């Protein structure tokens, strides 16, 4: 098993100085906990910043830290105070974080911070290369290191590199605001696989690639001039069994008892967040105030425990938010509180693990109201502790988690009245309904837990890497040209499948200008006039243009990538023949839909798949239908598939034929002694993939391709074809 190098901003162990001594503490926070078990289960090394600035270290302490961390298979990359300020507190948290969470008005566009981001990414790239061994695979985590995949690839061109973004990838209209938008996309595309929590984020990323770099592709593949990357969805999970078993432990029960003694019979609302403006904490408090105002019957009968983990307090905006929250808590407590009842119990400090689980376990309601959140693990952790199934999750539709946890009470975090109503609905929800809703969500998060998430990512990374390897064809050497010519001469039945634009003629300003010249017409006629040879011009153009330009030759032609076909000397006809390679990925989305919506089902035909929901509960289906259709649209964007909405059914089918299935019709017609296909763009890849192993295939211009060889230009293609005529 190859060694896995995980690269993240923080290590699972954090170094602090207390009373002059170095202390090593387990890091708080989702990623370290989440990936901890997985990384220990295989050969691995975790690379990151140890949490203490270089200036604060005495002579020899870097070595001491390195040695201590090595015992835990961690490797520290040391940063100066300035780097930490400008990179982490600066570009990461004052540029990327607000922009990617849709707070464009909070964003600092400071070239100095950008330089620090570049510098620290370079420092990490150099450190990684220093410790990397042959066959290591790299998994880069999160928004701190979006330049790193490309920087690693520049240093280790054959490396297997994955990247996962834990925060949202914003829509193109927001992302484009960033002055360094191209550089960041290029950085990410250095990876073989780029992972996101939801289909929306994948779609946004692909959209930005198309709009800003002109890199297209299909089914999540992005083709760059020297490389191919896959973007895919991996909704992060939690260690479900771990949480649910600890929730049963005596330690957690002792915590629950302690809380209950203090709170009495009151209903308990608990929320847990890191201090952050993206988490929608003021909205939540405002809604709670409104709820107490509108529902006096709940006064003194409910208490809200608001736990906030200190975070990024060096950034002024975070200090301001803390003050705002404290003022709001004070206002609510002042307005509604009585002797013996504090409506909001506010805790600004990290709490120990067992206490956290105790709070989750006893909470009747857990309101999660972010304005944006990549996923939100607290929602999943809360559900995992609900051993008896009781409790109500209120969840913002702006979290990635809402895509999976549709049985929660879903709210719009900007709608204060709706959240206030959700508090009332949650407190009044019958236990039977609570259990039904929670069981469905628990099943799902149990199935796709953190180890499945990590394994799924690494498996897909290997798959993506296999596609990449061997997929940049070598420039065709003279020896191969001679061999090709020799085989052509000997063969009695020869098939030439030739693309037109970019292959036989260079691209022109307008499509009409790319007319064939006399030399080309002569060359094609001479090739095709030989009874042993069949030339097929296989193009995306419409049949009228092809007919107008080449009708005088008797050559076979294909128009619109296969919708129309004309046999040698024959007339134009519509063709049939479809591919079904896309079905696995569509099936994945439709299966999730079936898991979430009882009574719905998948119908699988040879070349289409349908999701029927006539028998499902319309109240539940209504909420999900747009999401499912959007997921399908995102997946099939830029591909040959169409998503059709019918009466209580959504269907995915081939929108048109492609060059591969069309070529198949010629390939199967007879036993060809020689087959050559030449093309230049993504539509020709279907053609190359449909060829038998013995066929020759050539891509015009360098780039990723399934073809065996490449040539530089249409002139080179013509020269090669002319060679064939030399007897
Ligand atoms: C990023 C994305 C995405 C919090 N307070 C305490 C405590 N925690 C733990 C929680 C949970 C984690 O921290 C927070 O996870 P989140 O998912 O809510 O948020 P971020 O840290 O912002 O993480 C996010 C995540 O990456 C994973 O991809 O979901 O969207 O922003 O595990 O339990 N733990 C303890 N005491 C606390 O006081 N022990």
């Amino acid at each position: 098993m190859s060694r896995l190098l995980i690269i993240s901003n923080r290590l699972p162990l954090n170094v602090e100085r207390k009373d002059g001594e170095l202390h090593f503490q387990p890091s708080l926070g989702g990623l370290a906990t989440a990936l901890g078990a997985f990384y220990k289960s295989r050969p691995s090394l975790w690379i990151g910043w140890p949490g203490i600035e270089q200036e604060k270290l005495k002579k020899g302490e870097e070595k001491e830290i390195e040695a201590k961390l090595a015992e835990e298979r961690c490797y520290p990359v040391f940063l100066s105070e300035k780097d930490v300020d400008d990179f982490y507190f600066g570009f990461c948290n004052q540029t990327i974080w607000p922009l990617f969470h849709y707070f464009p008005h909070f964003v600092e566009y400071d070239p100095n911070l950008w330089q620090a981001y570049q510098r620290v990414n370079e420092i990490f790239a150099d450190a990684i290369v220093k410790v990397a061994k042959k066959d290591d695979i790299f998994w880069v985590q999160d928004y701190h290191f979006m330049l790193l995949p490309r920087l690693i690839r520049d240093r280790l061109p054959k490396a297997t590199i994955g990247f996962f973004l834990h925060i949202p990838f914003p829509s193109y209209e927001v992302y484009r605001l960033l002055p360094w938008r191209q550089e960041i996309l290029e950085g990410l595309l250095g990876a073989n696989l780029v992972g996101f929590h939801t289909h929306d984020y994948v779609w946004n990323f692909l959209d930005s690639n198309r709009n800003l770099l002109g890199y297209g592709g299909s089914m999540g593949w992005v083709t760059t001039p020297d490389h191919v990357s896959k973007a895919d969805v991996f909704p992060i999970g939690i260690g479900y069994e771990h949480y649910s078993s600890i929730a049963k432990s005596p330690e957690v029960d002792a915590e629950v008892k302690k809380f209950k003694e203090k709170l009495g019979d009151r209903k308990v609302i608990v929320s847990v967040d890191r201090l952050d403006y993206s988490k929608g904490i003021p909205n939540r408090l405002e809604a709670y105030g409104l709820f107490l105002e509108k529902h006096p019957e709940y006064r003194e009968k409910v208490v809200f425990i608001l736990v906030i983990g200190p975070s990024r307090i060096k950034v002024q905006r975070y200090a301001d938010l803390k003050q705002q929250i404290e003022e709001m808590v004070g206002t609510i407590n002042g307005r509604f509180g009585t002797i013996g009842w504090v409506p909001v119990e506010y805790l600004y400090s990290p709490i120990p693990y067992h206490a956290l689980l105790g709070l989750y376990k006893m909470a009747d309601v857990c309101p999660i109201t972010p304005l944006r959140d990549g996923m939100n693990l607290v929602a999943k952790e809360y559900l995992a502790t609900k051993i008896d199934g009781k409790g109500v999750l209120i969840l913002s539709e702006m979290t990635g988690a809402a895509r999976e946890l549709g049985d929660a009470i879903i709210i719009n975090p900007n709608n204060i009245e709706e959240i206030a109503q959700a508090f009332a609905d949650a407190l009044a929800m019958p236990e039977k309904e609570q259990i039904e809703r929670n069981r469905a969500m628990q099943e799902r998060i149990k199935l796709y837990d953190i180890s499945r998430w990590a394994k799924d990512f690494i498996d897909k990374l290997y798959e993506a890497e296999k596609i990449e390897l061997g997929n940049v064809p070598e420039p065709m050497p003279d020896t191969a040209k001679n061999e090709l010519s020799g085989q052509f001469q000997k063969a009695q039945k020869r098939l030439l499948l030739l693309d037109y634009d970019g292959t036989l003629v260079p691209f022109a300003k307008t499509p009409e200008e790319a007319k064939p010249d006399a030399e080309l017409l002569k060359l094609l006629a001479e090739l095709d006039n030989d009874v042993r040879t069949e030339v097929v011009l296989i193009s995306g153009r419409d049949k009228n243009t092809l007919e107008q330009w080449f009708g005088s030759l008797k050559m076979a032609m294909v128009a619109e990538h296969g919708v129309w076909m004309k046999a040698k000397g024959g007339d134009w006809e519509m063709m049939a023949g479809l591919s079904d390679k896309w079905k696995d990925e569509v099936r994945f989305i439709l299966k999730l839909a079936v898991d979430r919506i009882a009574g719905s089902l998948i119908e699988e035909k040879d070349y289409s798949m349908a999701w029927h929901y006539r028998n499902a509960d319309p109240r539940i289906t209504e909420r999900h239908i747009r999401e499912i259709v959007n997921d399908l649209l995102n997946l099939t964007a830029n591909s040959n598939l169409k998503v059709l909405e019918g009466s209580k059914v959504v269907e995915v089918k081939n929108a048109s034929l492609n060059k591969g299935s069309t070529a198949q019709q010629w390939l199967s017609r007879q036993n060809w002694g020689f087959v050559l296909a030449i093309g230049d763009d993504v539509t020709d890849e279907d053609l190359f993939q449909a060829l038998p192993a013995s066929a020759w295939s050539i891509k015009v211009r360098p780039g990723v391709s399934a073809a065996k060889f490449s040539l530089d230009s249409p002139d080179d293609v013509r020269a090669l074809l002319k060679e064939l005529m030399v007897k």
Side-chain angles (χ1 to χ4, degrees), residues 328-340:
M328 290 182 83
V329 169
T331 305
I332 294 174
N333 286 346
R335 185 169 165 210
F336 298 102
T338 57
I339 293 173

Side-chain angles (χ1 to χ4, degrees), residues 122-165:
E122 294 269 357
I123 292 173
F124 265 76
D126 291 337
I128 290 163
V129 171
K130 228 168 85 189
V131 292
K133 296 188 190 142
K134 194 173 166 285
D135 296 332
D136 280 350
I137 61 169
F138 303 83
W139 191 4
V140 181
Q141 306 289 333
D142 227 359
Y143 65 105
H144 317 90
F145 296 121
M146 291 192 283
L147 302 178
L148 206 41
R150 173 43 69 190
L151 295 174
I152 300 175
R153 186 156 308 286
D154 287 346
R155 289 159 174 79
L156 305 168
K158 296 254 179 277
T160 304
I161 307 168
F163 178 92
F164 190 83
L165 188 69

Side-chain angles (χ1 to χ4, degrees), residues 218-219 561 578-579 582 636-642 652-661 683 686:
S218 71
M219 308 291 283
H561 300 127
L578 298 160
S579 147
W582 48 271
T636 57
N638 233 12
S639 78
N640 263 354
L641 299 174
K642 230 185 201 151
V652 183
K653 52 180 6 181
N654 283 69
S656 67
L657 308 177
N658 68 49
K659 288 185 179 181
S661 53
T683 64
D686 294 319

